[in-house]
Each structure stands twice: as structure tokens, then as C-alpha cells.
Amino acid sequence: AAEQGNAWAQYNLGECYENGQGVAQDYAQAVAWYRKAVEQGNAWAQYNLGACFEKGRGVAEDNAQAVVWYEKAAAQGIPEASAALARLKRRGFNLLKWLTKK
């Protein structure tokens, strides 16, 4: 289903790769599948992609990119994404400075 373009299947496959469930853990593959689901607007994939950027899993650690994906997920009602934005702020990432650069 994931290869046929089903966004939820792509998201779930990304989670399988991220967590090593049924497949060898592979963060790069997780990111690849999250990106496919993100292209279709899957909010949970947006959140997980943000987490990958925040933690440097499968991509270079990049808080600015994490914010981009967390914001998209939060705008679609994912409360964990709002919490992640708050966590970044508490850790000193200046969201206001970043937002004014957009």
C-alpha cells in the first residue's frame, strides 16, 4: 500500500523503520517514507519528520527544519507538535527570531 501511494501506509512504514519493527532500524528509510506521506499532507508524518530533524535521525540535526514540520503538524491539530515547539523554546531555540527570517 505504501508503494502505491497510501499516505497512512507510508507513515506507518516510516514508523516501522524508525523503531525497527519488522524491519532493521533505518532512520534514513524512515525519513524517506515520512517525506512521501508529508507530500500528501499527513500530519503525523509531519510531526515525525520534525522529530527526525530535532534528533538528527536520518537527517542532519536542524532545529529550524524541525520547527517547519512541527508547525505544519500543529496547524493540523497534533498536540505533540505544539509541545515539541514549546520544548525547543525552553531549550533556547529562538522561535521568534527564526519566524521573522521567513
Side-chain angles (χ1 to χ4, degrees):
E3 289 177 357
Q4 293 176 355
N6 182 292
W8 279 109
Q10 292 166 340
Y11 161 75
N12 286 327
L13 190 53
E15 280 209 321
C16 288
Y17 276 109
E18 184 174 6
N19 299 310
Q21 295 173 324
V23 294
Q25 189 174 47
D26 185 333
Y27 294 132
Q29 278 294 318
V31 167
W33 286 108
Y34 290 149
R35 286 188 189 274
K36 289 177 186 283
V38 157
E39 289 172 7
Q40 299 180 73
N42 184 288
W44 282 104
Q46 292 167 343
Y47 169 72
N48 282 16
L49 187 56
C52 288
F53 275 107
E54 182 182 359
K55 298 171 187 172
R57 291 184 172 173
V59 291
E61 188 175 319
D62 186 337
N63 283 340
Q65 278 298 303
V67 167
V68 167
W69 296 110
Y70 286 152
E71 283 186 329
K72 290 177 186 281
Q76 291 195 66
I78 305 299
E80 289 85 348
S82 297
L85 289 167
R87 182 179 61 248
L88 284 173
K89 183 177 178 183
R90 277 194 314 274
R91 287 193 344 224
F93 185 73
N94 188 335
L95 294 176
L96 183 59
K97 182 178 177 182
W98 181 82
L99 289 170
T100 59
K101 288 182 179 180
K102 288 201 265 183

